[in-house]
């Protein structure tokens, strides 16, 4: 049985301590120094470190897992080859450069005969940086129709932020279970083992960051409340499975897949405590902030989570959404402005249609605007918004677009450049933009 949202405890602050005991084993968490040298219920203790041991307290992440068997109990890893394993990549340095605006129609959802699970259906679209030195980013799409049975996956390379677009993900983790539906996201951090069950054709996006973790953005003058509030992040609760039998552990390590066999279920954690957990978030909980007078806030005002780089204010990657909201700006061209950005922008659509591109950008598809590559509203949007009555209007109702924005210069994998769903005519959406310049008109 999967834990439902109402049963999940609040993640009330990044850096806070959390704990959970499977209700079948009360008092399974050791308390202070009152226990003998064995853990309650004769469990093994195992620490999962998410930061260097010596990281400052405010950023230090680790959890203690109290489990039936330690995770070291497996035979050696061997390279894993699957239908898409050659499309998983973390060495981006040798890929061809592609500066053009790119758009993809929806990535193909798996057909019944495809037999793909979350791992075999995972493909890297683009990325940058390096998993060896642990500084970079990977952007993925996944398409699957099979549940992961007797197997688990983890990435030794980074944290996965998963954005479902089609189909619900029933995710079992070492920390417990989460149901993540379109409109929700989840983050499964480096090293955490998980398995995904699905009920049919399932599709979505994922963002992986190497060498850092997602945090909430600093609010500055916004104050203590706003954007994504900590109390709306939910973590799973301990739920152990003591089954024995052959289980496959798939690791993504240095950008390549490996598998190892063990004779017990990897989800055998009876209790845990710490501040390094998977979590989920419902995007409708986002408190949107924007101008109430004139002009534009930059899209950073819509940041849900950020993975900071070592440069102050510069992210390895931000996760940004464009949620339903009121648009009230006066004397202002309201849609997104034309711009060229020193960051890379990968956008996806969970549902509906995006205001600046009513045509062509569809749920399950994507766009990529590279560093300093110009982009902005299409000609139809420009003409409409330039002449619209500026009364308060709702925008984006029934839609949810998002952006993975990265300070890295993204390289696109050959399969994604050559795929049949790439829209090679994307640039034509701006072709109708004409000069309105009139020297006599101020
Ligand atoms: Fe942009």
């Amino acid at each position: 049985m999967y834990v439902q949202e109402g049963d999940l405890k609040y993640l009330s602050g990044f850096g806070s301590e959390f704990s959970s005991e499977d209700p079948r084993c009360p008092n399974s968490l050791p308390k202070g120094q009152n226990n003998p040298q064995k853990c309650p219920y004769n469990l093994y203790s195992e620490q999962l470190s998410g930061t260097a041991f010596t990281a400052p307290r405010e950023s230090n992440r680790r959890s203690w897992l109290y489990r039936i068997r330690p995770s070291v109990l497996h035979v050696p890893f061997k390279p894993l080859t699957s239908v898409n394993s050659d499309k998983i990549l973390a060495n981006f340095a040798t890929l061809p450069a592609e500066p053009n605006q790119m758009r993809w129609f929806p990535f193909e959802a798996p057909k019944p005969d495809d037999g793909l699970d979350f791992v075999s259906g995972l493909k890297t679209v683009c990325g940058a940086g390096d998993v060896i030195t642990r500084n970079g980013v990977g952007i993925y799409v996944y398409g699957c129709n099979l549940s992961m049975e007797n197997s688990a996956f983890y990435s030794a390379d980074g944290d996965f932020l998963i954005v479902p677009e089609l189909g619900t993900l029933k995710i079992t983790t070492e920390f417990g279970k989460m149901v993540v539906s379109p409109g929700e996201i989840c983050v499964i951090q480096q090293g955490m083992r998980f398995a995904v069950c699905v009920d049919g054709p399932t599709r979505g996006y994922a963002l992986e960051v190497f060498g850092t973790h997602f945090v909430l953005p600093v609010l500055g003058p916004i104050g203590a409340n706003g954007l994504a509030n900590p109390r709306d992040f939910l973590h799973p609760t301990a739920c152990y499975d003591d089954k024995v039998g052959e289980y496959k552990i798939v690791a993504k390590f240095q950008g390549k897949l490996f598998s190892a066999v063990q004779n017990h279920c990897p989800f055998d954690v009876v209790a845990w405590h710490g501040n390094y957990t998977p979590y989920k978030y419902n995007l409708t909980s986002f408190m949107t902030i924007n101008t109430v007078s004139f002009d534009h806030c930059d899209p950073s005002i819509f940041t849900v989570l950020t993975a900071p780089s070592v440069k102050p204010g510069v992210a390895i990657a931000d996760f940004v959404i464009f949620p339903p909201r009121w648009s009230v700006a006066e004397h202002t061209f309201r849609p997104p402005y034309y711009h060229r950005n020193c960051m890379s922008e990968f956008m996806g659509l969970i549902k509906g249609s995006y205001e600046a591109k009513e045509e062509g950008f569809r749920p399950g598809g994507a766009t990529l605007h590279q560093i300093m590559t110009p982009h902005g509203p299409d000609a139809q949007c420009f003409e409409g918004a330039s002449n619209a009555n500026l009364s308060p209007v709702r925008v984006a109702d029934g839609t949810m677009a998002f952006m993975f924005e990265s300070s890295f210069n993204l390289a696109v994998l050959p399969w994604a450049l050559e795929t049949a769903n790439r829209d090679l005519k994307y640039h034509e959406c701006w072709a109708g933009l004409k000069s309105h310049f009139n020297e006599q008109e101020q």
Side-chain angles (χ1 to χ4, degrees):
M1 175 191 162
Y2 288 90
V3 175
Q4 298 303 304
E5 184 171 329
D7 296 323
L8 294 167
K9 292 182 177 176
Y10 287 127
L11 182 63
S12 60
F14 290 88
S16 302
E17 288 276 328
F18 307 97
S19 63
S20 181
E21 293 177 344
D22 189 307
R24 289 171 287 179
C25 297
N27 302 313
S28 44
L29 280 172
K31 302 283 191 305
Q33 296 300 313
N34 297 328
N35 288 284
Q37 66 200 78
K38 293 178 181 174
C39 294
Y41 297 92
N42 293 313
L43 296 167
Y44 286 88
S45 63
E46 182 180 284
Q47 183 176 211
L48 181 63
S49 294
T51 54
F53 298 138
T54 48
R57 275 181 188 271
E58 59 271 22
S59 57
N60 202 305
R61 305 272 186 93
R62 61 88 182 89
S63 283
W64 281 95
L65 311 178
Y66 298 92
R67 60 193 319 154
I68 297 168
R69 296 171 185 83
S71 54
V72 71
L73 192 59
H74 64 84
V75 300
F77 283 100
K78 294 178 180 168
L80 174 70
T81 303
S82 65
V83 59
N84 288 317
S85 53
D86 63 334
K87 300 186 182 76
I88 299 276
L89 195 76
N91 177 8
F92 304 101
T94 58
L95 296 180
E98 174 53 77
N100 283 306
Q101 299 96 351
M102 283 171 266
R103 181 161 71 184
W104 292 269
F105 296 126
F107 292 93
E108 194 173 12
K111 297 184 277 296
D113 292 343
D114 286 346
L116 296 171
D117 66 17
F118 181 82
V119 176
S120 58
L122 189 67
K123 296 188 281 191
T124 316
V125 177
C126 54
D130 186 7
V131 289
I132 307 292
T133 54
R134 307 221 354 90
N135 188 27
V137 62
I139 291 175
Y140 302 82
V141 290
Y142 66 84
C144 53
N145 57 359
L146 285 185
S147 295
M148 292 169 64
E149 302 286 356
N150 298 334
S151 69
F153 174 67
Y154 73 92
S155 174
D157 297 332
D159 291 12
F160 267 88
L161 186 157
I162 301 171
V163 184
E165 177 268 328
L166 174 69
T168 291
L169 307 178
K170 297 180 217 168
I171 302 176
T172 300
T173 77
E174 292 175 278
F175 295 77
K177 302 185 179 201
M178 302 188 292
V179 176
V180 186
S181 300
E184 299 177 307
I185 59 148
C186 68
V187 174
I188 300 176
Q189 306 190 70
Q190 182 193 16
M192 295 173 179
R193 294 173 176 198
F194 66 102
V196 178
C197 288
V198 298
D199 292 322
T202 302
R203 182 173 59 189
Y205 312 84
L207 166 66
E208 186 181 21
V209 290
F210 316 138
T212 187
H213 297 297
F214 291 100
V215 294
L216 290 166
V218 173
L219 291 183
I222 292 173
N225 307 287
L227 308 186
N229 287 306
R231 68 187 176 91
D232 293 320
F233 289 80
L234 308 169
H235 68 69
T237 54
C239 180
Y240 73 84
D241 185 341
D242 191 21
K243 278 211 242 3
V244 292
E246 186 171 303
Y247 283 81
K248 185 171 72 173
I249 308 296
V250 178
K252 189 171 92 65
F253 177 79
Q254 296 185 1
K256 300 179 179 67
L257 298 182
F258 296 83
S259 71
V261 171
Q262 63 184 42
N263 64 2
H264 67 280
C265 178
F267 305 117
D268 64 350
V269 175
V270 176
W272 57 263
H273 72 80
N275 59 4
Y276 190 55
T277 77
Y279 54 88
K280 62 176 261 184
Y281 176 73
N282 189 320
L283 300 177
T284 61
S285 302
F286 189 80
M287 176 181 159
T288 312
I289 290 173
N290 212 331
T291 180
V292 289
S293 56
F294 58 87
D295 282 356
H296 269 268
C297 295
D298 290 316
S300 49
I301 197 67
F302 301 127
T303 300
V304 180
L305 289 166
T306 182
S309 76
V310 293
K311 297 180 192 169
V314 178
I316 285 178
D318 287 325
F319 173 64
V320 177
I321 60 172
F322 302 94
R325 59 198 184 274
W326 282 97
S327 183
V328 300
E330 300 174 294
H331 322 302
T332 299
F333 177 77
R334 289 175 172 177
Y337 44 72
Y338 293 99
H339 74 139
R340 294 173 294 161
N341 193 352
C342 65
M343 308 268 281
S344 309
E345 302 182 16
F346 177 95
M347 283 189 65
L349 190 60
I350 300 166
K351 62 177 181 176
S353 61
Y354 179 57
E355 59 186 298
K357 303 269 171 48
E358 295 280 345
E359 304 289 333
F361 182 43
R362 300 174 196 154
T367 62
L368 175 60
H369 299 127
Q370 299 278 43
I371 286 179
M372 292 302 171
T373 295
H375 57 283
D378 60 23
Q380 182 185 354
C381 177
F382 177 82
E383 294 299 334
S386 299
N387 299 297
N389 174 15
L390 291 184
S391 58
V393 291
R394 294 284 299 170
V395 293
D397 274 333
T399 85
M400 187 62 79
F402 71 89
M403 176 165 66
F404 299 149
E405 184 179 25
S406 175
S407 60
F408 280 77
N409 209 334
L410 300 177
V412 183
L413 269 72
W415 79 266
L417 291 173
E418 295 157 10
T419 183
N421 62 301
R422 184 169 168 207
D423 177 10
L424 295 173
K425 296 183 175 177
Y426 179 34
H427 61 284
E428 293 180 2
C429 75
W430 294 288
L433 291 169
K434 56 186 185 226
S435 170
H436 297 278
F437 178 65
N438 182 344
E439 204 175 37
Q440 308 304 318
E441 191 176 312
Q442 292 189 352

